[in-house]
Amino acid sequence: MATTVLTLVGSLRNGSTNRQLAEATALNAPDGVDVNVYSGLENLPFYNEDQDVEGQVPAAAVELRAAAAEADALLLVSPEYNGTMPAVLKNAIDWLSRPFGAGALKDLPSVVIGTAFGQYGGVWAQDEARKALTIAGANVLEDVKLSIPNSVVRFAELHPKDDAEVASQVAEVLQGIRAVAESN
């Protein structure tokens, strides 16, 4: 049986390098790994506990929680905005963390990767995402990481899927996810 990896992209822009990285991840998935690049985060309202009541949960939140419940693992692909993760990812983590201690993230093997313009590839944003996921109850795989620096230059004329080094790296990330997900 295949390991299903729900992938959330922190950039809503269609041509973003992080969206391209998510596409490259899906295209380079090893046998036995299905990567589901989620669409619809732009429809997710900001988390509001007043709306998180049975019968009143927004449809976008219900859909996201269902996708996470069906997944064997979670992959966040995050750019870095002002030294941290984009609000859309933090908001998704907030919705997935509820109800606290029993949300869709509870013990879910989770990895954060990404690319950014700077020389460190967005590691601050990725560290913040890992911190939020850990507090939310996810099983964050600290040893499975990928930060690709200089995204604007590196991917100016080359899609990440066509970069042999990136293809190899994302396959390794997915193998790490699969190993943990299969052991759960």
Side-chain angles (χ1 to χ4, degrees), residues 78-149:
S78 182
E80 187 169 276
Y81 293 171
N82 298 314
T84 192
M85 76 178 115
V88 69
L89 282 183
K90 177 61 170 75
N91 189 45
I93 293 168
D94 290 345
W95 278 106
L96 292 172
S97 71
R98 304 294 205 258
F100 186 75
L105 291 177
K106 179 79 171 122
D107 298 324
L108 188 66
S110 301
V111 170
V112 182
I113 67 171
T115 185
F117 178 71
Q119 65 181 338
Y120 301 111
V123 295
W124 289 351
Q126 293 174 33
D127 287 345
E128 290 295 320
R130 286 185 196 94
K131 175 183 169 186
L133 284 167
T134 299
I135 292 168
N139 174 14
V140 178
L141 310 184
E142 292 288 343
D143 294 336
V144 181
K145 299 178 180 181
L146 176 59
S147 300
I148 303 171

Side-chain angles (χ1 to χ4, degrees), residues 12 39-46 58-61 63 88 91:
L12 299 179
S39 63
L41 285 184
E42 69 276 5
N43 300 320
L44 192 64
F46 283 113
E63 291 170 15
V88 69
N91 189 45

Side-chain angles (χ1 to χ4, degrees), residues 8-11 13 15-25 75-81 84-86 89 112-126 130 145-156 158-161 163 166 169-170:
L8 305 180
V9 181
S11 176
R13 190 171 58 85
S16 81
T17 54
N18 280 280
R19 181 155 307 282
Q20 292 175 3
L21 181 59
E23 293 166 1
T25 302
L75 175 66
L76 298 186
V77 183
S78 182
E80 187 169 276
Y81 293 171
T84 192
M85 76 178 115
L89 282 183
V112 182
I113 67 171
T115 185
F117 178 71
Q119 65 181 338
Y120 301 111
V123 295
W124 289 351
Q126 293 174 33
R130 286 185 196 94
K145 299 178 180 181
L146 176 59
S147 300
I148 303 171
N150 304 312
S151 61
V152 175
V153 174
R154 182 166 185 173
F155 303 123
L158 180 70
H159 191 290
K161 70 179 172 51
D163 183 313
V166 170
Q169 290 171 326
V170 295

